[in-house]
Amino acid sequence: MPVRHLSFLVAILGCAAGERKGVGDSGAASHVSTSSSPMNQVAESYVKLVLAVGKHDPDYVDAYYGPPEWKAEADSATIPLGDIEQRAGALIAQLGADPGSASGARADTADMARLRHAYLHKQLEAMVARVKMLQGTKLSFDDEARALYDAPPPKNTEEHFQEVIARLDKMLPGSGPVPARYVAYRSQFVIPPAKVDTVFKTAIAACKERTARHITLPAGESFVVEYVKDKPWSGYNWYKGNYHSVIQVNTSLPIYIDRAVDLACHEGYPGHHVYNALLEKSLVRDRGWQEFSVYPLFSPQSLLAEGSANYGIEVAFPGDEKVKFAKSVLLPLAGLDTAGADAYFKALAIRNQLNYARNEAARGLINNTMSRDKARRWLEKYCLMNEETAEKSLSFIKKYRSYVINYNYGADLVGHYVERNGGTARNPQKRWDVFRRLLSSEIIPADLQGK
Ligand SMILES: [Zn+2]
């Protein structure tokens, strides 16, 4: 954790921030099953391999709150990448094609056993791909996305984005190029820096209240918020275990009023914090499935994590509820004029149809069909960024590569899955029910796609 960047720390529920990511306090360890079923043995080996990859790739282990002795074991020796690859391959072979062959857990329903088997299989396959990449294997954008996130990302043409820009052109005030007009228009909705903490905490409280009406949150769940600078992302959830998260918000760039709700939902309720806490409760503690005590960032689980965190915004604030909340609570709190809020949120809804444009920049950069300059111009033109935000976006793409698909394609897949299972906008209670089940299970991207 970049402590040097902290400007201030807000303790929401009295828990202190951890020292750095990936090292939970392992409070769950005392609750874990000691069962040594074949599947639990595969899970233990998988967790240890994830920790071993983390020795080579500092971004790989996003969270770990399993037994501390496993972490100590991983820290004590570095396993060569070639050996990790070979061991992961052996585990895949041990799992076999039949979910029943290694399940060993009689208490599990057949469906849960199938999901667990498929989850471990996909996570291990992604690990092999990441380890190959760390050893120099180069994959195209689409091959990488498939190998790491188990999803083939859609492609969009430039004409698609031009058509969206044309619609924005008609509704934005002024004349001239749309990106500059959009940036100027949006600037009236920047939260004054002195108000960011109050606005963000108020947004979190509203997100939590809406979520808690539909999802029983584990007792004692909590998080702290930290404000940081100079990061390639706008917010980050570091899950520490024991139902506790550290949420960091990047204040290097202006924070717009709509982002307060988006970030509070995405990082907190019903997003990452809730997802991680429910997995810890339902799978790690109640079932003793240790594979969920570790979270490898470059894996199919990220498509579920980012997709559910983004789709969760719409679940918590369906239809025009976000603009209503902004007008009645957040804008006055920030000292901003509410007069243009309806038009602004309409423009944002159109702007959101451009969010796949970043995928195209990432595809171009990774496939070497776009230079960095060309990608920056593309981001400015079709993601409506200024030079500074486009540079930030380029550093994000450089670091996380095809991970960008998890935000938009992941959210679309989660949304389609929820709707396919009856959770439509007309049936909000059902939508929460399906969404809650998704957050508490080891569903894989292929399940979202209905395969
Ligand atoms: Zn996220």
Side-chain angles (χ1 to χ4, degrees):
M1 180 186 299
V3 174
R4 65 188 180 280
H5 293 306
L6 297 183
S7 53
F8 57 104
L9 177 83
V10 184
I12 289 187
L13 285 167
C15 294
E19 301 310 314
R20 64 191 180 88
K21 73 163 181 162
V23 187
D25 52 16
S26 302
S30 59
H31 299 262
V32 305
S33 161
T34 52
S35 161
S36 58
S37 75
M39 201 58 139
N40 284 348
Q41 286 168 15
V42 170
E44 178 176 335
S45 303
Y46 159 78
V47 173
K48 289 178 174 176
L49 281 181
V50 172
L51 296 174
V53 179
K55 293 273 285 181
H56 299 271
D57 177 356
D59 296 316
Y60 189 68
V61 183
D62 197 70
Y64 178 65
Y65 54 88
E69 58 271 23
W70 294 1
K71 178 80 171 82
E73 185 186 324
D75 285 344
S76 69
T78 301
I79 305 174
L81 286 165
D83 289 2
I84 296 175
E85 185 185 340
Q86 184 269 323
R87 290 187 201 183
L91 273 183
I92 292 171
Q94 192 181 332
L95 274 170
D98 173 15
S101 65
S103 72
R106 286 177 201 164
D108 289 344
T109 63
D111 200 39
M112 288 301 277
R114 182 193 69 78
L115 286 170
R116 189 181 194 196
H117 178 276
Y119 174 86
L120 280 167
H121 210 282
K122 291 293 181 185
Q123 292 290 112
L124 281 162
E125 282 180 343
M127 179 193 291
V128 169
R130 182 68 184 175
V131 168
K132 281 182 194 286
M133 286 170 67
L134 291 171
Q135 294 174 98
T137 296
K138 300 258 186 284
L139 296 175
S140 71
F141 176 82
D142 293 79
D143 287 346
E144 182 186 307
R146 253 186 235 104
L148 297 182
Y149 309 114
D150 191 26
K155 287 183 181 147
N156 286 283
T157 62
E158 191 163 4
E159 289 70 32
H160 165 72
F161 301 119
Q162 284 166 344
E163 185 272 325
V164 180
I165 296 278
R167 279 192 281 144
L168 271 177
D169 191 17
K170 286 190 186 127
M171 73 171 301
L172 288 174
S175 58
V178 167
R181 279 159 61 204
Y182 176 79
V183 170
Y185 176 63
R186 207 180 181 195
S187 64
Q188 62 188 305
F189 296 99
V190 171
I191 305 169
K195 304 276 190 180
V196 164
D197 182 47
T198 309
V199 169
F200 190 53
K201 277 200 285 191
T202 304
I204 289 170
C207 293
K208 180 171 179 174
E209 189 268 323
R210 283 162 182 259
T211 302
R213 268 189 246 156
H214 304 279
I215 293 178
T216 304
L217 299 169
E221 56 81 22
S222 67
F223 64 82
V224 292
V225 178
E226 297 172 358
Y227 296 96
V228 299
K229 287 187 182 297
D230 304 325
K231 297 290 163 194
W233 34 257
S234 54
Y236 212 110
N237 177 299
W238 306 99
Y239 192 67
K240 301 292 179 182
N242 252 346
Y243 310 137
H244 181 65
S245 292
V246 173
I247 292 177
Q248 294 186 320
V249 176
N250 184 1
T251 56
S252 292
L253 295 170
I255 300 179
Y256 300 93
I257 200 76
D258 46 290
R259 292 291 295 150
V261 174
D262 289 356
L263 277 173
C265 284
H266 182 104
E267 309 295 348
Y269 306 90
H272 292 321
H273 174 66
V274 171
Y275 177 56
N276 285 305
L278 292 182
L279 288 180
E280 179 175 355
K281 171 74 177 71
S282 352
L283 301 180
V284 180
R285 294 199 185 207
D286 292 353
R287 290 180 177 270
W289 291 1
Q290 282 298 311
E291 62 268 32
F292 287 94
S293 67
V294 75
Y295 172 16
L297 194 66
F298 306 107
S299 74
Q301 198 183 342
S302 281
L303 186 122
L304 269 301
E306 301 299 357
S308 60
N310 268 356
Y311 182 69
I313 302 167
E314 175 62 22
V315 178
F317 288 87
D320 60 359
E321 288 192 27
K322 197 159 79 165
V323 62
K324 280 186 188 159
F325 177 63
K327 275 163 71 177
S328 60
V329 179
L330 295 186
L331 284 161
L333 200 58
L336 299 173
D337 191 359
T338 60
D342 287 307
Y344 175 58
F345 277 81
K346 273 191 192 122
L348 282 176
I350 298 175
R351 152 71 186 83
N352 285 344
Q353 294 171 36
L354 294 169
N355 69 27
Y356 275 93
R358 184 170 67 162
N359 296 20
E360 297 307 325
R363 180 180 269 118
L365 278 171
I366 289 171
N367 293 352
N368 290 319
T369 55
M370 269 190 202
S371 66
R372 193 179 167 96
D373 269 357
K374 187 174 175 188
R376 195 185 62 247
R377 285 196 300 277
W378 175 279
L379 289 169
E380 289 171 11
K381 191 170 178 184
Y382 294 120
C383 295
L384 308 182
M385 294 174 175
N386 61 24
E387 195 174 337
E388 191 185 8
T389 50
E391 276 300 330
K392 286 268 178 214
S393 192
L394 285 174
S395 15
F396 186 94
I397 292 169
K398 191 160 179 273
K399 188 172 171 65
Y400 296 105
R401 302 170 56 91
S402 63
Y403 192 92
V404 293
I405 73 155
N406 295 323
Y407 297 98
N408 41 43
Y409 191 45
D412 284 348
L413 287 176
V414 167
H416 294 152
Y417 172 84
V418 171
E419 288 183 15
R420 213 168 53 240
N421 286 278
T424 59
R426 284 189 192 164
N427 194 346
Q429 182 57 50
K430 177 79 173 172
R431 179 148 75 168
W432 273 107
D433 289 345
V434 178
F435 190 62
R436 186 193 65 243
R437 283 204 301 278
L438 184 138
L439 294 180
S440 314
S441 75
E442 69 286 54
I443 196 165
I444 58 170
D447 294 319
L448 295 180
Q449 294 162 67
K451 286 176 186 167

